[in-house]
Amino acid sequence: MHSVVISGTGLYQPPYTISNAELVEAFNHYADIQNERLASEIASGAREAIAHSSVEFIEKASGIRQRYVMEKAGVLDPLRMYPRLQARSDDALSMMAEISVAAAQDALARAGKMGADVDMVLCAASNMQRAYPAIAVEVQQALGATGYGFDMNVACSSATFAMEQAVNAVRCGTAKCVLIVNPELTSSHIEWRDRDCHFIFGDVCTAVLIERADTTSTSDVWEIVGTHLATQFSNNIRNNFGFMNRSEDSDSVGRDKTFRQEGRKVFKEVVPIAVAHIEAHLEKLGLTPAQVRRYWLHQANQGMNQLVLKKLLGEASNDRAPLILDEFANTASAGSIIAFHKFNSDLAAGDMGVICSFGAGYSVGSVVVRKH
Ligand code: CO8
């Protein structure tokens, strides 16, 4: 069995930001237009007026201050409220592949590798922009990688679940160097007209290179000590968009065809699941939570991460579990990878860390790493 390491990570940051103030202004403008249009129904009690959103609520409830997006004008247009993206020809690189290649090039450069060194590509994300061919195969071709690629989706846990597949492939010798990309174009799949969730997500792409320890081109690597995945079915985070919508004669733009959640229930149920999962994984490896120098946690909610850390360590600190959601919002599977990418350079040889995702499914994935 080969020893396996993370030899590079990469980040693609979209060109536009939307602040909470911009978001709330657009939402409230939309609400006013709708409430005026439907004034008589609201007056008769047949329908409720759409309530305003607020910057104070968003920051207090989530810790999010802004998000990156691929397109901004469509989202902030009160008569539209979703991105305005150009359809591309079949011959052009798709948007998911394009941002994947950008993040991958960043990871490859840091690892001192070329696209041709990669022999397995995993595109792991919460939404795929088409059914087939797989985005991973498109990325494989664009980078000049060999071997094979496939797409996989475990919502917010897509990246950690892909890491276990990569580790197993490299450990067993079926691949030498695996590229994981997490292109999360969440802005096309959230409901910007629902104040309960319009602030939650942002677009981004991350990449992780996983390879055999004896083939690395850099000494700046993280040994993967163990991976642990778990799922437990829940409808509390759900999206019914799918290829059967037309055949079912259901409304293809209905509210259930975009992201929706019972946020309170998710918070309450997922925190204990994540804490027990991390504790069990560490115990299996002969470690205690206190021996872990840093936790790179899923980035959904500031309070949620603080509670996870308090339950693990007795206290929360940004140093032990850095937050990136204030700048990026929830970027689904990419969140814990962004945190790892931005906040790992200060750790010393031998320091232990945990990358942990939790989200829809429910799904939880933890990856325990040691600085080389
Ligand atoms: N402005 C003002 N008031 C608001 C707003 C708003 N924008 N939104 C809601 N309110 C109101 C509510 O209506 C409610 O009013 P009332 O008390 O009168 O009913 C009040 O504020 C409180 O609302 P909540 O109880 O909903 O507020 P919370 O404190 O629970 O905060 C959160 C809401 C922030 C959503 C919080 O519950 C949370 O973060 N929960 C965790 C959620 C989570 O981790 N989800 C993971 C999902 S991510 C994932 O798994 C990936 C899925 C796939 C990605 C797909 C990409 C598109």
Side-chain angles (χ1 to χ4, degrees):
M1 292 282 191
H2 301 288
S3 176
V4 186
V5 298
I6 297 172
S7 57
T9 54
L11 176 66
Y12 168 81
Q13 230 165 271
Y16 306 103
T17 57
I18 298 179
S19 68
N20 287 343
E22 290 174 291
L23 186 77
V24 166
E25 188 188 341
F27 179 90
N28 291 348
H29 192 177
Y30 157 79
D32 292 343
I33 293 169
Q34 294 304 315
N35 289 340
E36 200 179 313
R37 189 173 68 83
L38 300 165
S40 56
E41 287 180 50
I42 294 167
S44 72
R47 169 191 290 273
E48 273 187 31
I50 301 172
H52 275 191
S53 183
S54 100
V55 170
E56 296 69 36
F57 171 85
I58 294 170
E59 293 182 1
K60 192 161 173 279
S62 70
I64 295 164
R65 290 176 183 277
Q66 62 160 43
R67 68 282 301 140
Y68 292 94
V69 288
M70 298 300 288
E71 202 279 334
K72 175 171 176 170
V75 173
L76 297 183
D77 177 350
L79 299 176
R80 183 178 171 94
M81 304 289 281
Y82 47 89
R84 191 173 274 113
L85 304 177
Q86 291 291 319
R88 298 182 183 183
S89 79
D90 287 355
D91 297 329
L93 200 63
S94 66
M95 186 179 277
M96 280 186 78
E98 180 185 300
I99 66 175
S100 296
V101 166
Q105 282 167 340
D106 186 16
L108 288 165
R110 288 169 198 267
K113 293 284 171 186
M114 310 281 286
D117 295 319
V118 172
D119 59 358
M120 179 178 179
V121 179
L122 298 177
C123 176
S126 302
N127 295 287
M128 298 298 164
Q129 76 175 86
R130 61 169 181 259
Y132 41 81
I135 306 291
V137 181
E138 194 182 1
V139 173
Q140 177 196 17
Q141 173 176 276
L143 290 170
T146 61
Y148 64 99
F150 61 88
D151 294 350
M152 52 176 284
N153 174 1
V154 200
C156 287
S157 289
S158 300
T160 51
F161 275 53
M163 287 169 89
E164 181 170 286
Q165 310 322 306
V167 168
N168 288 344
V170 174
R171 194 159 276 157
C172 296
T174 54
K176 282 194 184 124
C177 181
V178 184
L179 170 70
I180 298 168
V181 287
N182 317 109
E184 293 288 8
L185 294 177
T186 63
S187 63
S188 287
H189 241 282
I190 64 168
E191 184 46 87
W192 296 96
R193 291 169 289 200
D194 180 345
R195 78 167 184 162
D196 286 348
C197 68
H198 76 127
F199 56 90
I200 292 179
F201 290 102
D203 296 334
V204 84
C205 185
T206 48
V208 182
L209 207 65
I210 289 180
E211 57 176 312
R212 269 168 54 173
D214 60 357
T215 63
T216 56
S217 308
T218 169
S219 56
D220 185 13
V221 301
W222 291 83
E223 180 193 349
I224 298 179
V225 179
T227 58
H228 181 37
L229 313 179
T231 52
Q232 179 185 312
F233 187 69
S234 167
N235 274 320
N236 287 333
I237 311 168
R238 190 168 172 116
N239 179 344
N240 286 336
F241 177 79
F243 78 101
M244 285 166 60
N245 294 158
R246 187 179 69 160
S247 309
E248 292 166 342
D249 294 319
S250 64
D251 178 1
S252 61
V253 292
R255 179 63 190 91
D256 69 323
K257 307 302 189 306
T258 50
F259 169 89
R260 66 209 155 99
Q261 72 168 350
E262 294 285 341
R264 277 273 158 114
K265 283 191 189 160
V266 173
F267 194 116
K268 268 199 192 142
E269 292 173 10
V270 168
V271 168
I273 295 173
V275 170
H277 181 97
I278 292 171
E279 283 173 340
H281 190 188
L282 291 174
E283 195 183 341
K284 212 164 70 178
L285 297 170
L287 294 164
T288 63
Q291 288 174 295
V292 174
R293 174 70 186 82
R294 185 153 294 157
Y295 291 87
W296 299 281
L297 300 178
H298 178 53
Q299 305 281 320
N301 181 293
Q302 181 173 358
M304 206 169 179
N305 286 13
Q306 285 170 347
L307 193 54
V308 167
L309 213 62
K310 266 191 199 144
K311 285 178 182 285
L312 286 171
L313 300 173
E315 59 173 357
S317 85
N318 206 46
D319 177 61
R320 290 305 274 280
L323 275 183
I324 56 91
L325 62 72
D326 52 343
E327 178 185 352
F328 287 85
N330 181 341
T331 49
S333 73
S336 56
I337 307 300
I338 303 173
F340 177 73
H341 176 79
K342 284 186 160 289
F343 294 98
N344 74 35
S345 60
D346 58 321
L347 269 60
D351 277 348
M352 306 293 301
V354 174
I355 300 169
C356 184
S357 66
F358 31 87
Y362 296 131
S363 56
V364 192
S366 54
V367 179
V368 176
V369 294
R370 184 189 291 121
K371 176 82 181 160
H372 220 255

